[in-house]
Amino acid sequence: MLKEIKRIKAFDYLEIGEGHPIVLLHGLMGGLSNFEKSIKVLSQKYRVIVPKIPFYNLPVAESTVENISLKFLEFLQLLTDEPVILIGNSIGGHIALLTAINNPTIIKGLILTGSSGLYEKSFGDTFPKRGNYDYVKGKSSEIFYDPSTATKELVDEVYATVNDKEKAIRTLYIARSAINNNLEEYLNKIEIPVCLIWGNQDSVTPPEVAIKLNKLIKNSTLSWIDKCGHAAMMEQPDFFNTLVLKWLEETLHK
């Protein structure tokens, strides 16, 4: 997959497949690999675009989910002039919601899993414990229903982030901004179809978040995945991809 990486402005991104553009947005400490199985499946029928979101490129004081969504909008407008489907996890979902609220004509639909925007738990209101690998491993495992989903590779990536002082500071700023950027009063503006796919055991954005999103977004559907935490596309990829493909077929080919 790495050989396919392209770069435009501040974004490294993967682009594979042909057809309607589908853009996948990972969370704060995530990366392209979070959607690895979805990329393989979706790229058989669609043009799949997966940006590495530049969370750590802005000045510290400007490291907010709102500013990152504006940077993402610039990226999107460079890549395509066709209304896209956005698939977002965690803060990636938050960015997708902000983009849809502020730029409705360029988004055809949203698929959200474990999205922030209403309520979410993070590492906390203080710096994660730098240098404490076991602590980071434990926190990373809490994201999933099955702790073994937090592979050593994933834990190593998170550990490297929280032990990089500049990244740790920005991580804290972005996480706080996401908590403060509550979208409840704006969700009724969303007219496009929205697919919510949620893990029954999501402890970061718990089930009541999905239920409330479903209530507030008028044209939304909600599907549950059991034995699944905050990142359905990683923990239950086959079930997740089946739901995504079914919804895309129904939405794009009405």
Side-chain angles (χ1 to χ4, degrees), residues 8-29:
I8 187 168
K9 295 222 168 176
F11 286 82
D12 292 320
Y13 69 101
L14 174 71
E15 183 176 10
I16 184 169
E18 297 180 355
H20 196 94
I22 312 289
V23 183
L24 313 182
L25 300 173
H26 62 78
L28 181 54
M29 293 192 187

Side-chain angles (χ1 to χ4, degrees), residues 29-82:
M29 293 192 187
L32 306 185
S33 63
N34 292 178
F35 285 102
E36 185 172 1
K37 291 189 176 180
S38 295
I39 293 167
K40 290 178 181 177
V41 170
L42 295 176
S43 62
Q44 294 176 28
K45 294 186 67 174
Y46 302 100
R47 177 190 175 198
V48 176
I49 301 167
V50 196
K52 174 69 175 174
I53 301 174
F55 287 119
Y56 306 114
N57 292 14
L58 292 172
V60 172
E62 297 175 21
S63 295
T64 66
V65 69
E66 299 99 314
N67 285 334
I68 293 165
S69 71
L70 291 175
K71 290 294 181 183
F72 168 67
L73 178 62
E74 293 178 14
F75 165 81
L76 196 59
Q77 291 173 329
L78 289 171
L79 265 288
T80 181
D81 55 7
E82 184 177 4

Side-chain angles (χ1 to χ4, degrees), residues 27-30 52-65 68 91 120-130 136 157-179:
L28 181 54
M29 293 192 187
K52 174 69 175 174
I53 301 174
F55 287 119
Y56 306 114
N57 292 14
L58 292 172
V60 172
E62 297 175 21
S63 295
T64 66
V65 69
I68 293 165
I91 287 183
E120 68 279 348
K121 290 169 60 180
S122 64
F123 270 101
D125 294 327
T126 58
F127 289 109
K129 293 183 180 178
R130 298 172 64 207
V136 172
E157 289 177 1
V158 176
Y159 181 75
T161 297
V162 301
N163 278 278
D164 180 315
K165 185 177 179 181
E166 293 298 317
K167 287 185 177 180
I169 292 170
R170 284 170 173 80
T171 296
L172 186 56
Y173 267 72
I174 295 165
R176 284 178 175 172
S177 82
I179 291 170

Side-chain angles (χ1 to χ4, degrees), residues 186-199:
Y186 305 105
L187 294 176
N188 62 1
K189 294 182 178 181
I190 297 176
E191 302 283 348
I192 56 174
V194 176
C195 174
L196 304 168
I197 302 174
W198 233 259

